[in-house]
Amino acid sequence: MKFFLDTAKVEEVESLLDTGMVDGVTTNPSLIAKSGGDMLETIGRIASLVEGPVSAECVSEDYDSMLREGELLSGLAKNVAVKVPLTVAGLRVCRTLSDRGVMVNVTLCFSVVQALLAGKAGASFISPFVGRLDDVGGDGMNLVEEILEVYDHYGMETEVLVASVRHPHHVAEAARMGADVVTIPPDILYKLYGHPLTDKGLEAFLSDWRKTGQSIGGKA
Ligand code: E4P
């Protein structure tokens, strides 16, 4: 399962790179606004740091303008995935760019039929927003399960990218279901490492070790 980092902050990408857990990055207009950086410069910098796909979202709503933005964004680097909303124009742009070999991430997916449309439009990634669906009383992970089932029926190659992740349990469920990718905010990625019994066990081991007065390979 691939882990993408859900952030537009270059320093967050830099600080997590050497964990070996970052297979790509996703951004959206809100994350760009939060980062305070210039969008094109930010995407260019992140795409040079990370080998995998870096999603950069179009902000126009009509086909021609969205396509122009997509061309500009995909021209920044080979690993940029153009993000388009799940609208009629968005999926038209998806088809056009996919036919040219550009990766497209279709975002703001909230139903299985929307995901089916994105698959038919040749999307590289479909992004179901699980947290936002949970927020309004829906079941985000059930949607992921439905999409995986439908894509499997038709052998669709679009990768299911679980987005709007709110807690480690979303990541665990996505992995159990066999989702292709999960995009994780940095604070949640750190939480994946944690377990109180790991902390407790480590404390006990190190306390016992100190009592031996030994060190491994010389001075500690
Ligand atoms: C990433 O591709 C999405 O834009 C992001 O995960 C949305 O997360 P949010 O619902 O927490 O804003």
Side-chain angles (χ1 to χ4, degrees), residues 149-206:
E149 183 188 344
V150 168
Y151 281 2
D152 188 46
H153 283 332
Y154 299 106
M156 284 179 162
E157 285 174 8
T158 303
E159 294 189 48
V160 179
L161 191 168
V162 178
S164 187
V165 161
R166 300 272 194 265
H167 43 70
H169 193 56
H170 276 147
V171 180
E173 283 186 282
R176 290 186 65 194
M177 288 173 187
D180 303 279
V181 191
V182 65
T183 187
I184 312 173
D187 59 322
I188 296 176
L189 181 54
Y190 283 118
K191 280 188 188 166
L192 300 185
Y193 286 87
H195 194 286
L197 290 179
T198 304
D199 298 341
K200 199 176 161 197
L202 184 60
E203 205 183 305
F205 284 156
L206 295 183

Side-chain angles (χ1 to χ4, degrees), residues 6 26-28 83 105 107 127 129 132 163-166 183:
D6 202 16
T26 52
T27 67
N28 63 35
K83 222 170 166 190
N105 175 357
T107 190
S127 291
F129 275 33
R132 291 193 196 190
S164 187
V165 161
R166 300 272 194 265
T183 187

Side-chain angles (χ1 to χ4, degrees), residues 3-8 13 22-27 46 50 52-56 81 105 183:
F3 280 4
F4 289 180
L5 209 53
D6 202 16
T7 183
V13 176
V22 182
D23 302 306
V25 172
T26 52
T27 67
I46 294 176
V50 178
V54 175
S55 292
N105 175 357
T183 187

Side-chain angles (χ1 to χ4, degrees), residues 58-146:
C58 296
V59 289
S60 287
E61 291 181 83
D62 68 281
Y63 174 82
D64 291 323
S65 315
M66 203 190 296
L67 181 60
R68 263 196 304 278
E69 289 174 356
E71 289 167 342
L72 200 67
L73 293 170
S74 62
L76 291 173
K78 273 197 164 56
N79 57 335
V80 168
V82 175
K83 222 170 166 190
V84 298
L86 213 151
T87 60
V88 175
L91 292 191
R92 279 188 63 205
V93 171
C94 176
R95 178 82 274 162
T96 304
L97 292 176
S98 300
D99 285 348
R100 295 181 193 167
V102 172
M103 283 186 288
V104 180
N105 175 357
V106 176
T107 190
L108 290 166
C109 172
F110 294 96
S111 80
V112 68
V113 284
Q114 286 184 317
L116 183 58
L117 295 175
K120 282 174 71 66
S124 301
F125 303 101
I126 182 67
S127 291
F129 275 33
V130 297
R132 291 193 196 190
L133 207 49
D134 292 352
D135 290 346
V136 296
D139 184 341
M141 292 314 301
N142 184 54
L143 172 61
V144 172
E145 201 167 23
E146 286 177 354

